[in-house]
Amino acid sequence: MGTDEKLTSCWERVVSCCCCCCNASKQEQDRRLDTKDVRIITNPAVADKGEFDTNRPLPSPPGFKMPDRERYIALFDYSARTADDLNFNTGDILEVLDSRAGEWWLAIAITGISVNKRGYIPANYVALLESIDAEPWYFPGMKRQDAEKLLLAEGNEEGSFLVRNSESLKGELSLSVLHEKRVKHYKLQKLDNGHYYISKTKSFPTLKELVEYYSRQPDGLCVSLGKPCRKIEAPQTYGLSYNTVDQWEIPRNSIKLLTMLGAGQFGEVYEGVWNETTSVAVKTLKPGTMDPTEFLGEAQLMKRLRHPKLIQLYAVCTMEDPIYIITELMKNGSLLEYLRKDKGAILRITDQIEMAAQVASGMAYLEQQNYIHRDLAARNVLVGENNICKVADFGLARVFMKENENVYEAKEGGKFPVKWTAPEGIHDNKFTIKSDVWSFGVLLYEIMTFGKMPYPTMTNMQTVQWLAKGHRMSCPLSCPKPLHAIMMDCWKDNDQERPTFETLQWQLEDFFDMDVTSYVDSARY
Ligand code: ATP
């Protein structure tokens, strides 16, 4: 039996059971069966024509409980961006009516500010009710270092905690707890019967029970578990709304330009508002700088690239000049400006390496997708809140065309950012993911020098000649030697000897330690 069939028969059992218990009238039974239909109505335009009033509150017979699998809990607040969206707050219960669209679901609010209203919700803002994902303390993808940073951030208190996937042991979980302004980590282990434990003397059938137990008493932990760690920000939605995911040419008048954020060689960039609700960045292209058809082809590729460390392309306005490219807004502008402004005042070495790791993570995704950036540099990385970095301007990336050969041939006469370009790019017009790795080495230099121009005393021509003699930039002041060694690996003459972005990502993420001894030994505590 398929999932849907199971669900339907389960529903029917519940409905009929309920009817015989409460002797409901035929009319009432029909009305209840109507509620079943609510779940399969997917076209609001049809539904709203009065054939079926789906805005009507769902009847809830006494003792009736919808199957949990259909109910979701909001993990974040969400403000409706269009008249078709639902407003909701963290903790609100939503029943999903149609999840076929994948990224935006049609739902009805069961509790909270939009109770009984129906509309679209971003799927990545909710979790299945009573599943582990719905627990406010469950941060599955969080790395140990990020867990420490988050727990030490403002708003958390003694005993704040989270449960995350262990980095050192795949498939296992760790508990991170804030105690006396430090973070302690405990391994959550599993017995053969699936029960969880920290100390073998006490095991629990579910994680929830384990958390509840240690919330009541420390029983050997450094402190009783207190409040779940605060979540800092909601994730990016996929696209601006449910209907821009596919139709992403949007009316120009839905965009209002506010302040200018900067200007590049192709045009100006503005902070803007879409639909009077949503902050966005708007890149305006100088008329004639790009062929709209070529750009649209490129944009089709960019749209498919989705990763938390890549700037998301939301929508375009290409019907008239100037072309608008609408992307997510990054509060702190380009990494280059950010580094230059800071000059080490706030950013510490751990922050710098963490930022580099984020860029490597975005690039590792491009590497996996067989895309080449071709212009990786601090000016093309954007910074949001909490030093979040995302790779931008990968619009010039090209999916590789030749079988077995990740090579993109640059157009003749094309401009190179010479000091960031690998020798094979300069001499042979050969661009691969390995030439991006070379550029990444230069970007590491920019990060470690707070945005200094690479090869500061040399012209472009001198740089090319100097590199050809086998020279490389030396270790910048206060840059750890092992980090310079990573730069040197990126600048190997033979591109095949350069590391992959995947390797760079883990080298940087684990730079300070992946010291399993930092875990509190459960056998000893
Ligand atoms: P180039 O035109 O050579 O790519 P560039 O990358 O500096 O140069 P743009 O991408 O046009 O030029 O960006 C210009 C400036 O606008 C950036 O330096 C940055 O400060 C700002 N900016 C661009 N995109 C965004 C964004 N999504 N969010 C916030 N600020 C942005």
Side-chain angles (χ1 to χ4, degrees), residues 261-267 269 281 283 311 327-331 333-334 337 375 379-380 382 393:
L261 299 169
Q265 47 172 322
F266 296 117
V269 180
K283 207 167 198 172
I311 288 289
T327 67
E328 64 181 289
L329 178 71
M330 297 292 278
K331 283 259 159 20
S334 86
E337 294 153 24
D375 197 5
R379 64 185 170 275
N380 286 331
L382 293 166
D393 280 353

Side-chain angles (χ1 to χ4, degrees), residues 83-338:
D84 298 332
D85 288 1
L86 267 191
N87 277 305
F88 56 82
N89 287 330
T90 309
D92 289 354
I93 308 291
L94 302 148
E95 192 169 282
V96 172
L97 308 176
D98 185 358
S99 59
R100 280 177 295 180
E103 294 153 346
W104 291 82
W105 293 347
L106 184 63
I108 185 158
I110 303 299
T111 65
I113 45 173
S114 295
V115 66
N116 293 332
K117 289 200 183 124
R118 198 195 58 165
Y120 285 90
I121 59 167
N124 55 342
Y125 275 51
V126 297
L128 198 59
L129 193 64
E130 285 170 21
S131 69
I132 177 144
D133 292 307
E135 296 298 344
W137 38 259
Y138 187 55
F139 290 59
M142 176 127 312
K143 304 220 183 289
R144 194 180 62 109
Q145 225 180 318
D146 294 336
E148 291 182 358
K149 206 167 140 192
L150 203 58
L151 280 163
L152 289 166
E154 223 174 289
N156 288 316
E157 49 196 54
E158 177 75 0
S160 289
F161 72 101
L162 58 86
V163 172
R164 60 186 173 80
N165 291 328
S166 165
E167 275 181 271
S168 50
L169 291 165
K170 289 268 170 283
E172 298 210 353
L173 296 160
S174 297
L175 169 73
S176 304
V177 191
L178 182 66
H179 174 52
E180 293 177 349
K181 301 205 164 51
R182 300 190 61 172
V183 178
K184 296 251 162 71
H185 305 276
Y186 298 87
K187 287 199 183 304
L188 298 180
Q189 309 202 55
K190 249 183 171 182
L191 294 170
D192 289 344
N193 65 4
H195 288 200
Y196 295 91
Y197 69 91
I198 299 178
S199 156
K200 265 198 169 152
T201 55
K202 190 102 197 113
S203 67
F204 306 87
T206 64
L207 272 180
K208 198 174 171 175
E209 285 163 87
L210 180 146
V211 165
E212 280 167 2
Y213 176 80
Y214 286 104
S215 302
R216 290 193 294 272
Q217 64 268 302
D219 196 14
L221 293 192
C222 55
V223 60
S224 313
L225 301 181
K227 286 191 183 146
C229 178
R230 276 187 48 174
K231 288 192 168 134
I232 290 191
E233 55 177 36
Q236 279 295 313
T237 57
Y238 289 111
L240 285 166
S241 72
Y242 77 97
N243 58 0
T244 64
V245 172
D246 297 319
Q247 297 161 26
W248 63 316
E249 173 79 41
I250 57 169
R252 189 169 293 254
N253 62 11
S254 66
I255 292 285
K256 197 183 280 168
L257 300 185
L258 304 174
T259 44
M260 191 166 107
L261 299 169
Q265 47 172 322
F266 296 117
E268 290 156 353
V269 180
Y270 292 84
E271 175 169 354
V273 178
W274 173 72
N275 212 25
E276 294 183 359
T277 55
T278 314
S279 294
V280 288
V282 185
K283 207 167 198 172
T284 64
L285 294 186
K286 278 184 214 153
T289 47
M290 225 185 236
D291 172 3
T293 333
E294 198 175 312
F295 163 68
L296 274 176
E298 203 58 64
Q300 284 296 343
L301 301 180
M302 287 164 69
K303 195 188 147 199
R304 291 211 324 259
L305 299 170
R306 291 229 182 114
H307 186 269
K309 299 301 170 196
L310 291 187
I311 288 289
Q312 195 187 153
L313 178 63
Y314 280 149
V316 293
C317 303
T318 61
M319 298 304 189
E320 55 194 275
D321 272 332
I323 288 178
Y324 284 180
I325 302 174
I326 293 117
T327 67
E328 64 181 289
L329 178 71
M330 297 292 278
K331 283 259 159 20
N332 289 310
S334 86
L335 174 61
L336 184 62
E337 294 153 24
Y338 192 68

